[in-house]
Amino acid sequence: MKIILPIEIAAEIEPHLSADTKVVLVDSDGNLDQNATDAEIYLSWFFLKSNVLHKVLAAAPALRWHHAPNAGVNHILTPTYLERDLILTNGAGVHAIPIAEFVLTYILAHAKNLAELQALQAEHHWKRGFPIQELTDATLLIIGAGGIGQAIAARAKAFGMKIIGTRRHPQELANFDQVVGVDEWRSYLPEADYVVVATPLTAETHNLIDETVLRSLPPHAYLINIARGAVVDESALIKALTEGWIAGAALDTVVTEPLPDDSPLWSVPNIFITPHCSGHSPKVKQRSVELFLDNFNRYQTSQPLRNVVDKQAGY
């Protein structure tokens, strides 16, 4: 059996492979160190570019299974990719813990007014009497109750929050007070104190958080996007924050990354922008390797693979 491994992670994978497994190395530009025409498996790595992906696909006509470490695979599902009959698995779950911790950071920073407190410290100004909230009984709406959404709910529930989640197929989930369908969540917007966007980017979720959604939220609501930038209509969000429809927003992902210097998002009031770093953790690589190796063993023993992507649904 032959497997294509990225140079960045090969050293962590190769010691766990059997002696009869042949390895083809690929660099970040898609250059292979040997012939890959009979390779069955391809492990890609983070920040995969479509031209590199297409280069590997062209070099490996016998490919059967591709594992991507990302949870979101919208950048992978190109027309060229969809022409191939490949099993695609993803890294859903490996980033859940650090992202969930970041979401609670955003929520607490807003509730406890940390931006003003830090500004006062910088000014050497001892001031009291400005609003500070608590999270007990606050309503958190999580749009996308998958692995990341469930990790967020587990941590938010410890603060006594009321948690509503959305799923394509609603079911009871631990730490959620209610799980509703893909359209039902809109009726809960007027009571949401915090909204977290944790849904994959698909044709159905592009600009999901639009002007109608933002106008349906109460003025004190706080929006957090840790999914993909294009799930939020940025022009509508800029208008909402500028005109005060909602209290604020935290964005860890935007439509154009890196965010250009001249983007109006930088100067919008009450916004907290982080550079798509909420999923970062030294443990992510370890979890990614463990997931792939478990699936590799399943592949060799003809067991069902974990995290198989529905390429038509997009996740």
Side-chain angles (χ1 to χ4, degrees):
M1 183 181 296
K2 188 174 285 187
I3 179 173
I4 302 172
L5 295 179
I7 290 175
E8 300 96 318
I9 197 66
E12 282 83 354
I13 300 293
E14 289 191 77
H16 302 280
L17 302 178
S18 58
D20 59 347
T21 302
K22 307 302 179 183
V23 173
V24 178
L25 296 178
V26 58
D27 66 19
S28 58
D29 293 320
N31 299 310
L32 305 169
D33 74 338
Q34 59 182 287
N35 187 291
T37 53
D38 56 344
E40 289 185 35
I41 302 168
Y42 171 38
L43 168 63
S44 60
W45 204 234
F46 297 103
F47 311 113
L48 176 67
K49 297 178 181 178
S50 58
N51 64 314
V52 172
L53 172 62
H54 295 164
K55 194 172 182 179
V56 174
L57 292 180
L63 209 63
R64 295 179 58 197
W65 166 40
H66 171 208
H67 180 80
N70 319 73
V73 293
N74 55 290
H75 64 298
I76 290 173
L77 299 176
T78 65
T80 299
Y81 190 90
L82 292 173
E83 290 175 358
R84 298 285 291 269
D85 184 21
L86 297 175
I87 300 169
L88 173 62
T89 56
N90 69 0
V94 301
H95 299 91
I97 290 174
I99 290 178
E101 292 176 351
F102 240 103
V103 167
L104 266 296
T105 300
Y106 298 132
I107 291 174
L108 286 167
H110 175 68
K112 304 307 179 184
N113 213 337
L114 293 189
E116 182 164 356
L117 287 169
Q118 288 183 311
L120 289 170
Q121 179 180 343
E123 297 167 1
H124 300 188
H125 184 188
W126 185 275
K127 176 185 174 182
R128 302 183 67 183
F130 53 86
I132 294 179
Q133 306 163 21
E134 63 177 67
L135 302 186
T136 302
D137 298 326
T139 297
L140 169 61
L141 173 60
I142 302 175
I143 301 176
I148 292 172
Q150 290 175 49
I152 294 167
R155 287 150 182 80
K157 182 54 69 175
F159 285 88
M161 302 184 80
K162 176 185 176 183
I163 305 171
I164 300 168
T166 73
R167 285 178 72 90
R168 181 181 294 272
H169 304 293
Q171 64 185 86
E172 288 189 10
L173 293 172
N175 302 303
F176 286 86
D177 294 274
Q178 194 169 359
V179 179
V180 300
V182 292
D183 290 320
E184 296 175 79
W185 60 270
R186 295 176 183 272
S187 64
Y188 292 91
L189 290 170
E191 64 184 80
D193 300 299
Y194 299 89
V195 178
V196 176
V197 181
T199 187
L201 175 60
T202 66
E204 290 74 27
T205 63
H206 185 267
N207 280 348
L208 180 70
I209 309 302
D210 57 11
E211 181 168 334
T212 300
V213 169
L214 293 167
R215 285 190 180 276
S216 299
L217 290 167
H220 66 270
Y222 194 77
L223 175 72
I224 299 168
N225 185 12
I226 47 79
R228 287 291 184 268
V231 179
V232 175
D233 182 338
E234 289 183 353
S235 60
L237 178 61
I238 289 170
K239 190 175 180 181
L241 292 172
T242 302
E243 298 183 6
W245 307 349
I246 61 175
L251 304 179
D252 188 50
T253 178
V254 291
V255 173
T256 302
E257 296 182 3
L259 187 62
D261 292 346
D262 59 353
S263 170
L265 282 171
W266 288 114
S267 53
V268 171
N270 302 316
I271 196 167
F272 185 5
I273 296 174
T274 52
H276 208 151
C277 62
S278 65
H280 291 191
S281 162
K283 295 183 180 181
V284 166
K285 178 186 281 190
Q286 173 190 339
R287 295 188 189 108
S288 298
V289 168
E290 289 173 353
L291 173 58
F292 173 75
L293 289 174
D294 179 56
N295 260 350
F296 182 68
N297 179 65
R298 289 166 178 263
Y299 181 87
Q300 288 184 305
T301 55
S302 301
Q303 298 180 60
L305 301 183
R306 295 165 56 190
N307 291 1
V308 174
V309 173
D310 180 337
K311 290 181 285 187
Q312 296 306 310
Y315 58 91

